[in-house]
Amino acid sequence: MMKLQHLFGIADLDKEQIEYLLNLGESLIDVSRRPIRKAPTLRGKTIINLFFENSTRTRTSFEIAGKRLSADVINISASTSATKKGESLLDTGQTLAAMRPHVLVVRHSISGTCQFLSEYLEGTSIVNAGDGSHEHPTQILTDLLTLRQAGGYENKVITIVGDIAHSRVGRSHLLAATLMGYRVRLVAPKTLLPAEVERYGCEISHDFDAAIPGSDVLYMLRVQTERLTDNCSFPSIREYHEAYGLNRKRLAAAGKGCLVMHPGPMNRGVEIASDVADSASARILEQVEHGVAIRMAVLTALCGDTGGEG
Ligand code: NCD
């Protein structure tokens, strides 16, 4: 059994660890399909979800994952926490750690928040549920499990389209691609590409139509308006949709076998047309289902019993 102390990012994992988590996640999909959705693996463990940014699927799937494995799960969102009363992140973290949870799942708008907290919170495992535009490791594991279930990711071309500059999902995929043997093609206007993107050694295009042939997956990203520091990154929603939105015509050009993925939340009519989101090519809801299984796997690797103290 593999034991992880923390999970900050794909950058901290090796291929073997990713494969281990995918195997474990795959074996746990079934728990959520049974009439009684409960296994005893994490009985007696306490997990706190500490979310300083909005979330539907990540927060809920961590909560469901913990509960399906019999852990006690507590949710705290920034809007109801004492940070609203001026408490610092570190004080909030230390306060929660003093209650001795096994795992703290953290989402924050500042990159590096999880590593920072881990330096002060001894004895608590920390999972990154998305930190600024840095990393979102459990989303990438979720995507890889979805691709594995759809036939595999090795040697596949995943074309990631949209706001790559501000996307922790895009960044984590770039790191995972080299490790796991798939190719990433980036498509975005120049204003939505990160600085020094060339160092990832992936194909880069500003022309969506030209990047479609040869793609095995069209992976659409939301424009992260909450992280845009200016409002001139693209001209208008209508023009953005025309240049970078996935519509029926583009899906047809991609060919029958090409899958459509999106980490959510989708902005229908912006990065993805509604009928494409609901089409047979879409794996978006499978991603959500696999998100629960992967988070079960990650929580188990962090605090599952290894035969010793818990
Ligand atoms: C992503 C995130 O928060 O980084 N969503 C998610 O966790 N499923 C992407 C996004 O917010 O657009």
Side-chain angles (χ1 to χ4, degrees):
M1 180 172 174
M2 186 182 85
K3 185 95 174 120
L4 283 178
Q5 195 189 352
H6 301 291
L7 179 56
F8 301 142
I10 295 293
D12 308 310
L13 296 173
D14 59 29
K15 188 174 185 197
E16 220 171 67
Q17 288 172 310
I18 292 181
E19 276 165 358
Y20 176 90
L21 291 169
L22 293 178
N23 290 340
L24 185 56
E26 193 160 44
S27 73
L28 289 165
I29 293 174
D30 186 52
V31 176
S32 299
R33 293 182 178 170
R34 294 181 198 151
I36 298 185
R37 296 173 183 133
K38 203 81 164 171
T41 321
L42 299 185
R43 203 166 45 198
K45 308 291 180 189
T46 309
I47 296 163
I48 299 182
N49 285 326
L50 178 60
F51 276 59
F52 292 94
E53 276 192 339
N54 297 340
S55 174
T56 301
R57 63 233 81 223
T58 307
R59 197 194 60 73
T60 313
S61 59
F62 266 111
E63 180 176 359
I64 290 184
K67 287 183 170 166
R68 291 207 172 138
L69 293 178
S70 308
D72 297 307
V73 185
I74 288 93
N75 296 306
I76 302 173
S77 68
S79 56
T80 55
S81 77
T83 48
K84 279 274 175 226
K85 297 180 179 175
E87 187 173 66
S88 72
L89 168 70
L90 185 54
D91 280 329
T92 302
Q94 283 178 324
T95 299
L96 296 174
M99 299 182 202
R100 301 186 57 78
H102 294 83
V103 181
L104 200 55
V105 181
V106 182
R107 169 170 284 195
H108 201 284
S109 59
I110 296 174
S111 302
T113 295
C114 296
Q115 282 101 320
F116 167 75
L117 282 175
S118 74
E119 282 161 29
Y120 296 91
L121 312 187
E122 244 174 77
T124 307
S125 294
I126 299 184
V127 189
N128 182 4
D131 62 332
S133 41
H134 177 230
E135 278 232 45
H136 193 354
T138 57
Q139 180 64 48
I140 275 54
L141 295 170
T142 294
D143 297 341
L144 294 182
L145 180 54
T146 304
L147 286 169
R148 188 196 258 202
Q149 293 265 305
Y153 47 77
E154 268 172 33
N155 302 318
K156 292 280 167 20
V157 176
I158 304 191
T159 299
I160 303 183
V161 189
D163 183 1
I164 293 142
H166 305 99
S167 174
R168 46 201 178 205
V169 174
R171 223 185 94 79
S172 291
H173 261 300
L174 284 166
L175 296 169
T178 343
L179 217 52
M180 305 310 290
Y182 60 99
R183 274 164 57 200
V184 166
R185 196 176 273 176
L186 300 179
V187 181
K190 281 201 179 83
T191 48
L192 291 179
L193 278 174
E196 298 176 47
V197 67
E198 295 78 19
R199 79 192 153 99
Y200 290 103
C202 60
E203 295 170 56
I204 299 165
S205 171
H206 308 302
D207 181 345
F208 191 6
D209 293 298
I212 287 176
S215 299
D216 296 294
V217 179
L218 296 176
Y219 194 103
M220 308 309 296
L221 292 176
R222 180 179 67 88
V223 177
Q224 312 253 314
T225 41
E226 71 276 27
R227 286 184 233 291
L228 291 179
T229 47
D230 57 68
N231 49 15
C232 53
S233 293
F234 56 89
S236 71
I237 297 286
R238 189 180 55 78
E239 279 159 292
Y240 181 84
H241 183 67
E242 245 160 58
Y244 296 102
L246 180 55
N247 54 28
R248 273 264 159 218
K249 211 168 136 232
R250 289 188 169 126
L251 184 60
K256 223 168 176 282
C258 183
L259 302 178
V260 174
M261 293 174 73
H262 194 307
M266 285 187 280
N267 284 175
R268 289 174 185 251
V270 185
E271 74 275 11
I272 189 164
S274 209
D275 53 357
V276 172
D278 299 329
S279 70
S281 307
R283 290 293 175 277
I284 300 164
L285 293 176
E286 283 83 347
Q287 286 173 275
V288 177
E289 180 177 11
H290 297 143
V292 174
I294 279 297
R295 282 153 191 139
M296 286 166 112
V298 166
L299 292 172
T300 302
L302 286 162
C303 67
D305 276 325
T306 48
E309 89 301 357

